[in-house]
Amino acid sequence: MNELTIPVDLNSKIHIYEQIYTYIRNEILEGRLTQGERLPSSRALAEHLQISRSTINLAYEQLLAEGYIEAVACKGYFISRVEKPLRLERVKEERKDDTEAETGYQYHFTPNGIDMKEFPYRTWRRITKEILIDDSKELFSLGMPQGDKELRETIAKYLFAARGVACTPGQIIVGAGNDYLLILLQLLLNKNSVIAFENPTYTKAYRIMESLGFDVRLMGMDENGIRVSELEHSGANVAYVMPSHQFPTGIVTSVGRRNELLKWAAQKEDRYLIEDDYDSEFRYRGKPIPSLQGMDHNGKVIYIGTFSKAIAPAIRVSYMVLPEKLMSEYEKKGCLVSSTVSRIDQKILNEFIRCGAFERHLNRMRKIYKGKHDVLLESLKGFRSKFKILGDHAGSHILPQAKYQVTEQWLSRKAGEKGIKIYCLSDYVIQEENTSMRPATVIIGYAGMEIEDIEKGIAALKAAWEI
Amino acid sequence: MNELTIPVDLNSKIHIYEQIYTYIRNEILEGRLTQGERLPSSRALAEHLQISRSTINLAYEQLLAEGYIEAVACKGYFISRVEKPLRLERVKEERKDDTEAETGYQYHFTPNGIDMKEFPYRTWRRITKEILIDDSKELFSLGMPQGDKELRETIAKYLFAARGVACTPGQIIVGAGNDYLLILLQLLLNKNSVIAFENPTYTKAYRIMESLGFDVRLMGMDENGIRVSELEHSGANVAYVMPSHQFPTGIVTSVGRRNELLKWAAQKEDRYLIEDDYDSEFRYRGKPIPSLQGMDHNGKVIYIGTFSKAIAPAIRVSYMVLPEKLMSEYEKKGCLVSSTVSRIDQKILNEFIRCGAFERHLNRMRKIYKGKHDVLLESLKGFRSKFKILGDHAGSHILPQAKYQVTEQWLSRKAGEKGIKIYCLSDYVIQEENTSMRPATVIIGYAGMEIEDIEKGIAALKAAWEI
């Protein structure tokens, strides 16, 4: 075939070679040019269309690169076998884009709130600017999978001073959020691991571990923490615990229970404790509760902490301290995964901690949250005859526990009717057999609320609950 | 017991309550105060030590919070049962901190290089500054797990225009790097999936999938791409392919082979194709090769792309386009995982693309890389009698293939002796049975090198290889 009359539009914005390419491609796709047919030589087609030969060559090269045609030495270009795609019915429905959930409540007492009004934006901006001024290639190049050495050194120092965590920078893995670190951890743990959780717990961690295919188990708790006696008979080899301030119960694992936990872990080679130390920075009376990791002498604790709570949720930087044995697993498998935190962010955060801004921010927030906490407790004074207040003096929520016969559902519904959002303990209990076994307990978060709203909201709650 | 003579140092920087707390805690830990013993009342101890009662109360509360003592109503504080931790021998060895690998080569022809001299630092800084000026709480709050809606809209538009990818913003998942997205993907795929890879391939993706516990298989390739005939008998239900520009071979999967692949995927419910479109932005002749995703009418292609290659490795932003069916899996499991990219970074990137800076940067880099590519090809002219040059006109490396009897190891060793680092095709081949079956092929990357170094390095290589 030497005739191929392609309607070329010289005035089109589409390059001529592309017009030719598209024309021939469509001829092939629609079956008008079929397998084995020979294309005209570029010289012949160029003459026929009165177009430069190099333009034709460009079109042919594109067809060749995409496999529509084949070149046979000394013979020319031939149409390839282009199999027709099997075409099933396509669901053409446009996916509705989910927008962030609007609460629609006047008073939203979420336990996950953070007071972002108080974030030191100016300091953060100044550090960002200073770091970006230095337009080094290094800043924009891929760093170590574990995270920048300087940042890990800073974190190690901070953890030792603030949390009693004993580790070298080499044991720290920096990652974009706790959820990510848990996912990374799966690469290091035995695939057949059975993971025990406190019940109630941070349900997201439970669901993630479950989704990853781990066998997950639920353990009961008492006022000293997770029941090690249950753990011993559970078949679990990993326990996910929040010893410094359990979420959501606020229970501090007692030193005796901690030792029992460490002893349990030390009894078998593949046993580990995952210590999620999510908000230990916020304690409003006495000193911070020391970490479990600092009490461990057998390399059994995987310590996870985050800057999302203490700085801002958008700062996607968490860290994990691995015991020696898991560190060597990390070096085999985990370090395959490139760092999930940009170097710029790592440098900003490092400088933010190093220059003392982080400590100042923490001290400031501790005061602000304590102020809100105190106002909340004061506002709840009238509730004391009917409720016992649990989980106070730390974190960002408290738990009023009913002393009378009432259900969490009723408390939550009545609050909702007055535009008040509170949470139920049962929201965090996984597989509850018998709710009526324990007193109704609700969760009231305060960190993200204005003081005025706390007062008004609790007054409204009093009316809603008929107290 | 009412006597507890605690040596309090009034001049110490350590708060008195903390000195008392520490003293009693150590007495308990060292067995001098034992389970069941009663502590003196705070009033008695305060008098005994001539210290305020509130200080004593603070110390007792801390001991209580940590579980060293228990309160018995109307009776006082008693020492708890504190089990001694089982202490194994601890390996006290300091872990050596790994520093970034220094190459020590004078000419390092890595295929992963990027020219960071040309990064538009000024524009990036300006956008960062503009975004940070607006100190909205929203910027520092946790966004949607999928990524910011605005960024996903921008990516969807870009992908449609540049790559022919047809998707809604709702199908896009933004994540911190391709490695992370693969790990996230595991939550959505059947746990028993068998994943086929092209061989040679991007070995990191292979190792990650293997580490995640998937059964991984290797498929042969020919000049049209992965061999679908092998795929059909492999038992695989997922194939990881790089159809636009295979790494490292540079092979473009032909349109016929693409249709075969799509047909294979359409035949069974749980079959999927993972299209890794890692560097399709860089093609130096003709138009970009269209994506496989754009040819798919059955929701079978999982499309993965990244900004790390086109912008900078430190920009930890990749994206994954999921077909409808996997999107509903994502909504069940994947969205448990909070976004791994900070909102600030998402906003900066969004603005960088939206304002046209990304396109300008791409055009600029395409020219710069093409310039380096041309210099490299020119420098290799003298090699043509002994080597066939494969994989040119796209990406950031080429593959000289020996026409004579020589091993890749010899070529690499000889180069190394002259301070030149080149790579062997076998570095990317997993489980090679018989290396002697194929001609020796090396990989020469150029994107990150200076033009002068390319010329000098190749001249040195010529001498090293005795050409």
Side-chain angles (χ1 to χ4, degrees):
Chain A
M1 185 189 52
N2 283 302
E3 294 287 304
L4 206 59
T5 305
I6 302 172
V8 170
D9 177 0
L10 297 172
N11 299 315
S12 165
K13 270 198 252 171
I14 299 164
H15 195 291
I16 297 168
Y17 97 85
E18 202 172 331
Q19 295 182 41
I20 296 170
Y21 153 80
T22 307
Y23 180 88
I24 299 177
R25 191 195 61 186
N26 290 345
E27 291 293 289
I28 297 169
L29 285 175
E30 283 157 29
R32 286 187 292 271
L33 284 173
T34 56
Q35 193 194 347
E37 269 189 83
R38 197 169 78 97
L39 283 182
S41 73
S42 61
R43 181 192 303 268
L45 189 60
E47 264 175 36
H48 180 66
L49 296 177
Q50 290 295 301
I51 277 166
S52 88
R53 200 173 154 192
S54 64
T55 302
I56 306 290
N57 277 333
L58 212 52
Y60 280 11
E61 272 170 29
Q62 187 73 25
L63 290 165
L64 193 66
E66 296 186 18
Y68 288 98
I69 61 173
E70 279 161 31
V72 179
C74 309
K75 289 199 170 168
Y77 294 111
F78 294 82
I79 311 298
S80 306
R81 194 171 73 96
V82 175
E83 200 162 339
K84 274 270 143 50
L86 188 71
R87 192 178 285 230
L88 303 179
E89 276 309 296
R90 195 186 190 183
V91 194
K92 250 294 172 201
E93 189 200 338
E94 253 330 72
R95 170 166 303 276
K96 262 189 289 149
D97 221 321
D98 24 17
T99 47
E100 270 153 90
E102 278 180 287
T103 70
Y105 291 102
Q106 191 175 0
Y107 306 107
H108 193 168
F109 289 97
T110 170
N112 305 315
I114 279 192
D115 194 338
M116 283 306 300
K117 268 204 329 302
E118 305 296 337
F119 184 78
Y121 297 100
R122 202 172 301 179
T123 310
W124 194 266
R125 272 204 300 276
R126 179 183 52 74
I127 295 174
T128 305
K129 217 172 126 185
E130 280 166 14
I131 281 171
L132 281 175
I133 273 172
D134 159 37
D135 60 359
S136 61
K137 282 164 64 170
E138 179 239 4
L139 196 60
F140 283 86
S141 63
L142 188 62
M144 289 175 70
Q146 253 186 283
D148 270 13
K149 205 179 161 202
E150 292 76 29
L151 177 60
R152 288 186 285 109
E153 280 166 354
T154 302
I155 292 175
K157 266 185 220 154
Y158 165 72
L159 286 180
F160 184 72
R163 309 290 308 121
V165 169
C167 68
T168 66
Q171 282 171 269
I172 296 177
I173 319 291
V174 172
N178 283 18
D179 302 344
Y180 164 71
L181 288 176
L182 284 183
I183 295 187
L184 184 66
L185 189 57
Q186 82 171 301
L187 288 177
L188 318 181
L189 294 175
N190 190 318
K191 298 256 176 279
N192 304 319
S193 289
V194 178
I195 304 183
F197 281 82
E198 297 160 328
N199 197 15
T201 190
Y202 176 48
T203 48
K204 211 175 174 193
Y206 177 87
R207 299 284 176 216
I208 288 174
M209 287 311 211
E210 190 184 34
S211 292
L212 290 172
F214 286 113
D215 191 349
V216 283
R217 303 281 164 87
L218 294 160
M219 303 294 120
M221 295 187 74
D222 59 25
E223 71 282 7
N224 288 313
I226 192 168
R227 285 204 176 94
V228 177
S229 52
E230 278 190 34
L231 194 55
E232 262 156 7
H233 300 104
S234 67
N237 65 309
V238 177
Y240 183 100
V241 292
M242 294 172 268
S244 298
H245 188 233
Q246 208 266 346
F247 186 86
T249 64
I251 291 171
V252 177
T253 303
S254 69
V255 65
R257 191 60 57 83
R258 285 169 183 236
N259 283 333
E260 283 179 50
L261 268 172
L262 291 169
K263 199 169 171 180
W264 170 83
Q267 274 158 8
K268 284 193 184 165
E269 184 80 9
D270 69 337
R271 282 187 181 171
Y272 290 102
L273 299 164
I274 302 175
E275 176 177 20
D276 179 358
D277 204 26
Y278 70 106
D279 80 345
S280 53
E281 289 90 355
F282 299 109
R283 211 173 135 70
Y284 314 124
R285 195 186 277 185
K287 325 186 299 128
I289 304 293
S291 71
L292 181 63
Q293 200 270 3
M295 297 173 67
D296 172 29
H297 299 283
N298 303 315
K300 287 300 184 178
V301 176
I302 299 156
Y303 178 91
I304 298 182
T306 179
F307 291 106
S308 299
K309 192 96 186 167
I311 300 183
I315 309 305
R316 307 304 299 149
V317 188
S318 293
Y319 44 86
M320 176 159 74
V321 178
L322 293 178
E324 293 287 328
K325 211 185 120 197
L326 288 181
M327 215 35 233
S328 52
E329 285 300 307
Y330 176 82
E331 276 153 16
K332 271 184 258 163
K333 297 173 190 169
C335 64
L336 281 170
V337 184
S338 301
S339 173
T340 45
V341 185
S342 86
R343 291 193 91 176
I344 301 176
D345 290 356
Q346 294 191 54
K347 287 203 186 284
I348 295 170
L349 180 60
N350 181 48
E351 185 53 26
F352 188 74
I353 305 171
R354 212 200 45 73
C355 76
F358 179 55
E359 205 181 326
R360 283 194 299 277
H361 174 61
L362 273 186
N363 289 336
R364 201 170 138 67
M365 294 317 291
R366 218 177 271 121
K367 262 184 218 147
I368 289 167
Y369 290 161
K370 181 179 182 338
K372 294 185 178 185
H373 166 270
D374 292 352
V375 166
L376 177 60
L377 284 194
E378 182 65 29
S379 307
L380 284 169
K381 256 195 176 161
F383 289 66
R384 300 254 175 191
S385 59
K386 289 188 155 179
F387 288 87
K388 201 171 147 184
I389 309 294
L390 307 175
D392 49 349
H393 302 299
S396 52
H397 70 271
I398 54 154
L399 301 101
Q401 185 177 74
K403 295 181 191 169
Y404 65 112
Q405 203 57 40
V406 65
T407 65
E408 292 174 6
Q409 291 64 37
W410 187 89
L411 293 169
S412 162
R413 200 181 65 241
K414 283 288 162 189
E417 285 167 9
K418 299 282 180 200
I420 308 158
K421 176 69 184 168
I422 53 141
Y423 292 78
C424 301
L425 187 59
S426 54
D427 295 340
Y428 302 92
V429 175
I430 297 160
Q431 293 168 0
E432 192 158 32
E433 293 84 32
N434 198 345
T435 327
S436 60
M437 290 285 286
R438 56 168 183 75
T441 311
V442 297
I443 293 171
I444 300 188
Y446 51 86
M449 291 191 76
E450 301 295 328
I451 287 202
E452 204 190 316
D453 286 339
I454 294 175
E455 287 169 335
K456 284 190 193 161
I458 296 300
L461 193 64
K462 208 170 168 187
W465 287 354
E466 299 155 16
I467 290 173
Chain B
M1 184 190 55
N2 284 301
E3 296 285 304
L4 205 59
T5 304
I6 302 171
V8 171
D9 178 359
L10 296 172
N11 299 316
S12 167
K13 271 197 251 171
I14 299 164
H15 195 290
I16 297 168
Y17 97 84
E18 201 172 332
Q19 295 182 42
I20 296 170
Y21 153 82
T22 307
Y23 180 89
I24 299 178
R25 190 195 62 185
N26 290 345
E27 292 293 288
I28 297 169
L29 286 175
E30 283 158 28
R32 286 187 292 271
L33 284 173
T34 55
Q35 193 195 347
E37 268 189 85
R38 197 170 79 96
L39 282 182
S41 72
S42 61
R43 182 192 302 265
L45 189 59
E47 264 174 38
H48 181 66
L49 297 177
Q50 290 292 302
I51 277 167
S52 87
R53 201 175 152 192
S54 64
T55 301
I56 306 291
N57 277 332
L58 212 53
Y60 280 12
E61 273 169 29
Q62 187 74 26
L63 289 164
L64 194 65
E66 296 185 18
Y68 288 98
I69 62 174
E70 280 161 30
V72 179
C74 308
K75 288 196 170 170
Y77 293 110
F78 294 82
I79 310 299
S80 305
R81 194 172 73 96
V82 174
E83 200 163 338
K84 274 271 142 52
L86 188 72
R87 193 177 285 230
L88 304 178
E89 276 308 297
R90 194 184 190 184
V91 193
K92 250 293 173 201
E93 189 199 337
E94 259 320 81
R95 169 165 303 276
K96 261 190 287 149
D97 221 321
D98 24 16
T99 47
E100 271 153 88
E102 278 181 288
T103 68
Y105 291 101
Q106 191 175 359
Y107 304 107
H108 193 167
F109 288 97
T110 169
N112 304 315
I114 279 193
D115 194 337
M116 283 305 300
K117 267 204 331 301
E118 305 297 336
F119 184 77
Y121 296 101
R122 202 173 301 179
T123 310
W124 194 267
R125 273 205 299 276
R126 180 183 51 75
I127 296 174
T128 305
K129 219 173 125 185
E130 281 166 12
I131 281 172
L132 282 175
I133 273 172
D134 159 38
D135 59 358
S136 62
K137 281 163 65 172
E138 180 239 3
L139 196 60
F140 283 86
S141 62
L142 188 61
M144 289 176 70
Q146 253 186 282
D148 271 12
K149 205 181 161 201
E150 293 75 30
L151 177 60
R152 287 186 286 110
E153 281 166 355
T154 302
I155 292 175
K157 266 186 221 154
Y158 165 72
L159 285 181
F160 183 72
R163 308 292 306 120
V165 169
C167 69
T168 66
Q171 282 172 269
I172 295 177
I173 318 292
V174 172
N178 283 18
D179 302 345
Y180 164 71
L181 288 175
L182 285 183
I183 295 187
L184 185 66
L185 189 58
Q186 84 172 298
L187 288 176
L188 318 181
L189 294 175
N190 190 319
K191 298 254 176 280
N192 304 318
S193 289
V194 178
I195 304 183
F197 282 81
E198 297 161 328
N199 198 14
T201 190
Y202 176 49
T203 48
K204 211 176 175 193
Y206 177 88
R207 299 284 176 218
I208 288 174
M209 287 310 211
E210 189 183 34
S211 291
L212 289 171
F214 286 113
D215 190 350
V216 283
R217 304 282 163 86
L218 294 161
M219 303 294 120
M221 295 187 75
D222 59 27
E223 71 282 6
N224 288 314
I226 192 170
R227 285 205 177 93
V228 177
S229 52
E230 277 189 34
L231 194 55
E232 262 156 7
H233 300 104
S234 66
N237 66 310
V238 177
Y240 183 100
V241 291
M242 294 172 267
S244 298
H245 188 233
Q246 208 267 347
F247 186 84
T249 63
I251 290 171
V252 176
T253 303
S254 70
V255 64
R257 191 58 60 84
R258 285 169 185 235
N259 283 333
E260 283 178 50
L261 268 172
L262 291 170
K263 199 169 173 181
W264 170 82
Q267 273 158 9
K268 283 192 185 168
E269 185 78 10
D270 69 336
R271 283 188 180 170
Y272 290 102
L273 298 164
I274 302 175
E275 176 177 20
D276 180 357
D277 204 28
Y278 69 105
D279 79 345
S280 53
E281 289 89 355
F282 299 110
R283 212 174 134 71
Y284 313 124
R285 194 186 280 186
K287 323 187 300 128
I289 304 293
S291 71
L292 182 63
Q293 200 271 4
M295 297 173 67
D296 172 29
H297 299 282
N298 302 314
K300 287 302 185 177
V301 176
I302 299 156
Y303 178 92
I304 298 182
T306 180
F307 291 106
S308 299
K309 191 96 186 171
I311 300 183
I315 308 305
R316 306 305 297 149
V317 187
S318 293
Y319 45 87
M320 175 158 74
V321 178
L322 292 178
E324 293 286 328
K325 211 183 120 196
L326 289 182
M327 213 39 231
S328 52
E329 285 300 306
Y330 176 82
E331 276 152 16
K332 273 184 256 161
K333 298 174 190 166
C335 65
L336 282 170
V337 184
S338 300
S339 173
T340 45
V341 185
S342 86
R343 291 194 90 175
I344 302 175
D345 289 356
Q346 294 190 54
K347 286 201 187 285
I348 295 170
L349 180 60
N350 181 48
E351 185 53 27
F352 188 74
I353 304 172
R354 212 201 45 75
C355 76
F358 180 55
E359 204 181 327
R360 283 194 299 278
H361 175 60
L362 273 185
N363 289 336
R364 202 170 137 67
M365 294 317 292
R366 220 176 271 121
K367 261 183 219 148
I368 290 167
Y369 290 162
K370 180 178 182 342
K372 293 184 178 185
H373 165 270
D374 292 351
V375 166
L376 177 60
L377 284 194
E378 183 64 30
S379 307
L380 285 170
K381 259 198 174 158
F383 289 65
R384 298 256 174 189
S385 59
K386 288 188 156 180
F387 288 88
K388 200 170 145 185
I389 309 296
L390 306 175
D392 49 350
H393 302 299
S396 52
H397 69 272
I398 53 155
L399 302 100
Q401 185 176 72
K403 296 182 190 168
Y404 65 111
Q405 203 57 39
V406 64
T407 65
E408 291 173 6
Q409 290 64 38
W410 187 88
L411 292 169
S412 162
R413 200 181 67 242
K414 283 289 162 188
E417 285 168 9
K418 300 282 180 200
I420 308 159
K421 176 69 183 167
I422 53 140
Y423 292 77
C424 301
L425 187 58
S426 54
D427 294 341
Y428 301 92
V429 176
I430 297 160
Q431 293 169 359
E432 191 158 32
E433 293 84 34
N434 199 344
T435 327
S436 60
M437 290 285 287
R438 55 167 183 75
T441 310
V442 298
I443 292 172
I444 300 187
Y446 51 85
M449 291 191 75
E450 301 296 328
I451 288 203
E452 204 190 316
D453 285 338
I454 294 175
E455 287 169 335
K456 284 191 193 159
I458 297 300
L461 193 63
K462 206 168 171 188
W465 286 355
E466 300 156 15
I467 290 175

